[in-house]
């Protein structure tokens, strides 16, 4: 017992934690405690990618937002010590952070020099020097690491022919810096403190408590739509039946979303069963895939390289960053900006709604990839979910594929109409999901930005009358939801006023549009990026011409 206590009370220096991460350890900080999640990561119900994005960071707010008190208590089993003072985040390895192993001679040295940690200095403390000087030091190291000739060449070429794409990205970042609170430690610490006070106020107001009667009303709506679809099917109204089935799926997703966040009973096994029954048995989609995908989205919202919810190449690009053929850390593949992508993205503001009509078909593909390619946890608390999901998939394709499409609809044309209508009717759901993020910032503001500020910078709410809440299903309160993912959706409207007060107090802009205005913002963003495809091509051709003609510095 004393040995365990001494291990948990050990004070780790920043340099030592850097070395652990360099050795492949999955280390993050929560409430000043050092967590080593190596043994837990493969069995994490939300997938290992969410953990990898926390490595080297203080993940207190993210972990509290996404996990129940029981899950947080479970994490204490993996505590290996603590840090003193304010922890300054490393850039996680999955995001490109670099870490040095701990050399033997360092055990006898004072570690007061600057170290590489993805853009920050390290010292023998968990609190390094000012990030302003760290950034300067990092830039100096970056410039001196290449040859002087290439550095001069890069500088001169940039001066002579500035890259319009990079200029635009720099302007977007400058705009965010001006609009949002400073990234200095004092400002961000104040935001963190006020966010935690806000969470306490919302808990005190009882907004985490589930209004079960609201889900009772939802269940009546689901039953009405499904029975109506069967009645229409019985009388040969196949198109109407398909529309009603699509509306049934559209409504089901909202409760599946709540259960995936453990926002109904707040009990992992109960909410998981609810989610599997709704998503797999009734909808043919994998709730396990969705949780693995969605947890990463909540941690790295609107990051072009890391957030799967905005990685839709070759069809959509909401930032010119995608022109660089980025590598997705979620899908572990390069998102090629190839000929197909250039054509589709140049027309994406016209293709947006037509492509979303087919969104549900892509969800089937992603679900089966998750279930068949070994992405589901095989051990840990979620070991049983794969078996239940597979059973759910067989059940779904039995009642929908065999029972309705094959046995109940007589002709091939009627089957085609039924399938297409039942899937296309769910298009407003895909619009709703993209609406809250596509028009928002994709700028990387660095590791110092607080969780609350990042969520509000990358997410917007949609304004609608109360009587339309059933249609939007809580997804219109995405900014509120991203701050407090486990609040049942029927309480999000009440929580919205608290968030508005928080934004006024901290100076963080609270972005909200009407549904029509929000759609216009998204189409405008897509159209703006589409125009940049032509600019990108002209710039590429001009640079290639300079190289061929040998005009490098003549212009």
């Amino acid at each position: 017992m004393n040995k365990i206590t001494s291990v948990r009370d050990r004070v780790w220096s920043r340099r030592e934690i850097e070395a652990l991460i360099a050795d492949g350890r999955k280390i993050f900080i929560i409430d000043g405690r050092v967590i080593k999640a190596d043994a837990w990561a493969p069995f994490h119900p939300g997938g290992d990618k969410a953990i990898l994005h926390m490595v080297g960071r203080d993940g207190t707010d993210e972990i509290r937002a996404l996990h129940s008190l029981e899950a947080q208590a479970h994490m204490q089993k993996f505590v290996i010590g603590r840090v003193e003072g304010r922890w300054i985040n490393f850039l996680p390895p999955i995001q490109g952070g670099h870490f040095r192993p701990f050399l033997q001679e360092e055990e006898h040295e004072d570690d007061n020099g600057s170290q590489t940690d993805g853009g920050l200095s390290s010292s023998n403390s968990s609190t390094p020097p000012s990030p302003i000087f760290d950034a300067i030091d990092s830039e100096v190291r970056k410039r001196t690491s290449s040859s002087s000739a290439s550095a001069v060449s890069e500088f001169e070429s940039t001066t002579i022919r500035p890259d319009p794409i990079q200029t635009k990205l720099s302007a977007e970042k400058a705009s965010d810096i001006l609009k949002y609170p400073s990234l200095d430690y004092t400002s961000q610490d104040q935001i963190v403190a006020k966010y935690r006070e806000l969470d306490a106020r919302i808990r005190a107001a009882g907004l985490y408590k589930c209004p079960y009667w609201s889900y009772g009303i939802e269940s009546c709506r689901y039953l009405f739509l499904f029975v109506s679809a069967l009645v229409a099917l019985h009388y040969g109204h196949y198109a109407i039946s398909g529309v009603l089935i699509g509306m049934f799926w559209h409504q089901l997703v909202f409760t599946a979303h709540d259960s995936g966040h453990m926002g109904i009973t707040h009990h992992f096994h109960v909410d998981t069963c609810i989610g599997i029954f709704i998503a797999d048995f009734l909808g043919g989609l994998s709730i396990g895939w969705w949780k693995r995908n969605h947890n990463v989205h909540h941690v790295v919202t609107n990051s072009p390289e890391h957030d799967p919810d905005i990685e839709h190449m070759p069809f959509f690009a909401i930032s010119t960053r995608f022109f660089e053929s980025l590598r997705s850390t979620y899908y572990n593949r390069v998102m090629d900006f190839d000929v197909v992508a250039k054509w589709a993205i140049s027309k994406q503001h016209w293709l947006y709604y037509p492509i979303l009509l087919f969104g549900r078909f892509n969800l089937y593909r992603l679900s089966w990839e998750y279930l068949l390619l070994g992405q589901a946890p095989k051990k840990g608390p979620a070991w049983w979910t794969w078996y239940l999901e597979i059973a759910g998939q067989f059940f779904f394709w039995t009642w929908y594929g065999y029972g309705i499409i094959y046995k109940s609809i007589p002709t091939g044309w009627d089957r085609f109409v039924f399938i297409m209508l039942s899937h296309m009717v769910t298009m407003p759901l895909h619009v709703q999901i993209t609406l809250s993020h596509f028009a928002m910032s994709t700028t990387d503001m660095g590791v110092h930005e607080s969780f609350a500020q990042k969520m509000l910078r990358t997410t917007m709410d949609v304004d609608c009358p109360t009587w339309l809440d059933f249609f939007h299903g809580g997804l219109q309160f995405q900014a509120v939801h991203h701050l407090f993912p486990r609040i049942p959706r029927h309480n999000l409207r009440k929580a919205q006023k608290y968030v508005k007060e928080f934004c006024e107090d901290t100076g963080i802009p609270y972005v909200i549009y009407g549904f029509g205005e929000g759609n216009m913002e998204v189409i405008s963003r897509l159209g703006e990026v589409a125009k940049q495809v032509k600019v990108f091509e002209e710039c590429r051709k001009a640079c290639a011409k300079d190289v061929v003609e040998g005009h490098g510095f003549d212009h």
Side-chain angles (χ1 to χ4, degrees):
M1 184 68 180
N2 291 334
K3 183 178 180 181
I4 294 175
T5 302
S6 63
V7 169
R8 294 172 67 89
D9 287 339
R10 172 180 173 173
V11 178
W12 289 83
S13 72
R14 182 176 181 80
R15 181 68 188 90
E16 290 171 326
I17 289 179
E18 180 188 7
L20 287 176
I21 297 172
D23 197 34
R25 303 289 181 254
K26 298 173 181 62
I27 307 292
F28 58 87
I29 313 299
I30 177 170
D31 287 326
R33 294 289 178 179
V34 181
I35 307 291
K36 185 165 84 71
D38 298 61
W40 174 244
F43 313 126
H44 182 225
D48 63 336
K49 294 291 174 77
I51 292 177
L52 295 179
H53 284 290
M54 286 292 99
V55 171
R57 298 175 55 91
D58 184 334
T60 302
D61 289 330
E62 289 90 338
I63 290 166
R64 285 178 175 174
L66 290 166
H67 295 81
S68 65
L69 295 176
E70 291 76 14
Q72 294 177 49
H74 179 73
M75 292 178 197
Q76 297 304 309
K77 296 179 181 179
F78 304 96
V79 171
I80 61 170
R82 58 190 176 89
V83 294
E84 290 184 337
R86 187 193 193 281
W87 179 257
I88 307 301
N89 292 329
F90 287 104
L91 183 68
I94 193 174
Q95 297 180 17
H98 299 285
F99 299 82
R100 298 163 311 144
F102 199 77
L103 303 177
Q104 189 171 7
E105 56 267 24
E106 290 186 83
E107 296 178 9
H108 308 289
E109 295 178 0
D110 289 327
D111 184 18
N112 294 319
S114 67
Q115 312 290 350
T116 302
D117 61 12
L120 295 174
S121 295
S122 297
S123 65
N124 194 32
S125 164
S126 53
T127 307
S130 165
I132 298 175
F133 296 105
D134 293 338
I136 295 173
D137 183 54
S138 175
E139 184 63 25
V140 170
R141 290 197 305 272
K142 186 192 301 180
R143 289 179 180 274
T144 56
S145 63
S146 59
S147 66
S148 58
S150 63
V152 170
S153 175
E154 180 180 350
F155 174 77
E156 289 183 350
S157 62
T158 303
T159 304
I160 294 166
R161 192 184 293 281
D163 184 343
I165 302 300
Q166 292 302 322
T167 300
K168 180 174 177 56
L169 291 172
S170 298
E172 290 174 357
K173 185 168 186 176
S175 175
D176 279 359
I177 290 173
L178 290 173
K179 287 191 295 186
Y180 289 86
S182 170
L183 295 176
D184 66 79
Y185 298 151
T186 301
S187 299
Q188 293 302 306
D189 285 350
Q190 289 176 350
I191 291 172
V192 169
K194 289 178 180 179
Y195 169 67
R196 293 175 184 177
E197 290 174 5
L198 174 64
D199 182 54
R201 290 178 60 202
I202 284 178
R203 287 182 184 277
L207 298 186
Y208 276 90
K209 295 179 180 178
C210 179
Y212 289 107
W213 60 270
S214 296
Y215 287 102
I217 295 174
E218 299 284 350
S219 297
C220 292
R221 184 182 300 119
Y222 305 155
L223 185 62
F224 172 76
L225 289 171
F226 189 71
V227 170
S228 298
L230 294 181
V231 170
L233 184 69
H234 176 73
Y235 286 103
H237 302 296
Y238 305 120
I240 295 175
S241 179
V243 169
L244 289 169
I245 285 289
M247 294 171 64
F248 170 67
W249 287 337
H250 174 267
Q251 289 290 304
L252 280 178
V253 167
F254 304 139
T255 299
H257 180 260
D258 280 4
S259 67
H261 279 293
M262 291 186 295
I264 301 177
T265 68
H266 303 300
H267 186 281
F268 171 74
H269 294 292
V270 175
D271 278 359
T272 299
C273 285
I274 294 172
I276 291 176
F277 176 71
I278 292 173
D280 292 86
F281 282 76
L282 300 181
L285 305 178
S286 167
I287 193 69
W289 159 78
W290 178 85
K291 289 176 72 170
R292 185 176 187 268
N293 177 289
H294 200 66
N295 285 345
V296 174
H297 164 67
H298 270 266
V299 171
V300 287
T301 309
N302 261 27
S303 171
E305 298 97 330
H306 313 301
D307 181 2
D309 272 18
I310 64 167
E311 294 178 344
H312 302 297
M313 294 286 281
F315 302 109
F316 299 129
I318 64 172
S319 169
T320 52
R321 290 282 314 283
F322 287 101
F323 296 0
E324 301 170 3
S325 291
L326 301 175
R327 181 173 184 81
S328 167
T329 59
Y330 182 83
Y331 293 110
N332 291 321
R333 61 175 173 81
V334 174
M335 299 176 286
D336 290 314
F337 187 59
D338 54 19
V339 174
V340 175
K342 289 173 185 176
W343 179 85
I345 292 171
S346 68
K347 306 288 190 297
Q348 63 180 355
H349 48 309
W350 297 105
L351 298 174
Y352 175 63
Y353 296 113
I355 287 176
L356 292 186
L357 286 170
F358 301 93
R360 190 174 182 87
F361 293 105
N362 186 50
L363 299 184
Y364 291 140
R365 177 185 67 84
L366 293 169
S367 295
W368 279 104
E369 282 184 2
Y370 170 84
L371 293 171
L372 297 181
L373 298 184
Q375 297 175 358
K378 300 297 187 299
K379 296 182 180 180
W383 69 267
W384 54 273
T385 58
W386 182 85
Y387 299 96
L388 190 57
E389 286 204 76
I390 290 295
Q393 292 295 320
F394 278 106
F395 181 84
F396 171 79
W397 290 107
T398 298
W399 74 259
Y400 176 74
Y402 179 76
I404 291 182
I405 296 174
Y406 181 72
K407 294 293 289 183
S408 302
I409 303 177
T411 68
W413 173 251
D414 286 333
R415 288 169 183 163
F416 175 78
V417 169
F418 180 88
I419 291 171
M420 298 309 293
L421 285 177
S422 62
H423 286 72
M424 289 181 172
V425 164
T426 64
M427 187 265 277
L429 174 66
H430 303 292
V431 172
Q432 184 76 58
I433 292 170
T434 58
L435 188 63
S436 297
H437 299 292
F438 270 26
M440 299 301 289
S441 173
T442 58
T443 301
D444 179 6
M445 299 294 281
V447 295
H448 305 303
E449 186 175 31
S450 62
F451 170 71
Q453 179 168 313
K454 182 174 183 177
M455 294 303 101
L456 290 166
R457 182 174 59 82
T458 56
T459 312
M460 75 175 185
D461 277 353
V462 175
D463 194 21
C464 76
T466 305
W467 64 270
L468 259 182
D469 282 354
F470 81 95
F471 177 78
H472 295 282
L475 298 182
Q476 75 273 36
F477 300 116
Q478 281 289 289
V480 182
H481 168 69
H482 268 253
L483 291 176
F484 307 104
R486 291 183 301 107
I487 291 181
R489 75 174 187 273
H490 303 96
N491 292 338
L492 290 174
R493 183 175 286 277
K494 296 176 183 177
Q496 186 183 43
K497 67 176 184 179
Y498 292 92
V499 172
K500 287 181 177 179
E501 292 172 2
F502 168 77
C503 289
E504 291 175 2
D505 190 25
T506 58
I508 301 175
Y510 170 69
V511 182
I512 183 169
Y513 290 101
F515 187 73
E517 292 175 309
N519 273 266
M520 291 175 63
E521 287 291 319
V522 170
I523 296 300
S524 176
R525 165 65 70 86
L526 293 174
E528 185 179 347
V529 175
K531 291 178 182 177
Q532 294 298 316
V533 174
K534 183 178 180 180
V535 174
F536 174 84
E537 279 298 290
E538 290 176 351
C539 182
R540 185 187 63 80
K541 290 177 181 177
C543 291
K545 181 180 179 182
D546 286 349
V547 172
V548 171
E549 297 179 357
H551 292 163
F553 307 111
D554 295 334
H555 297 294

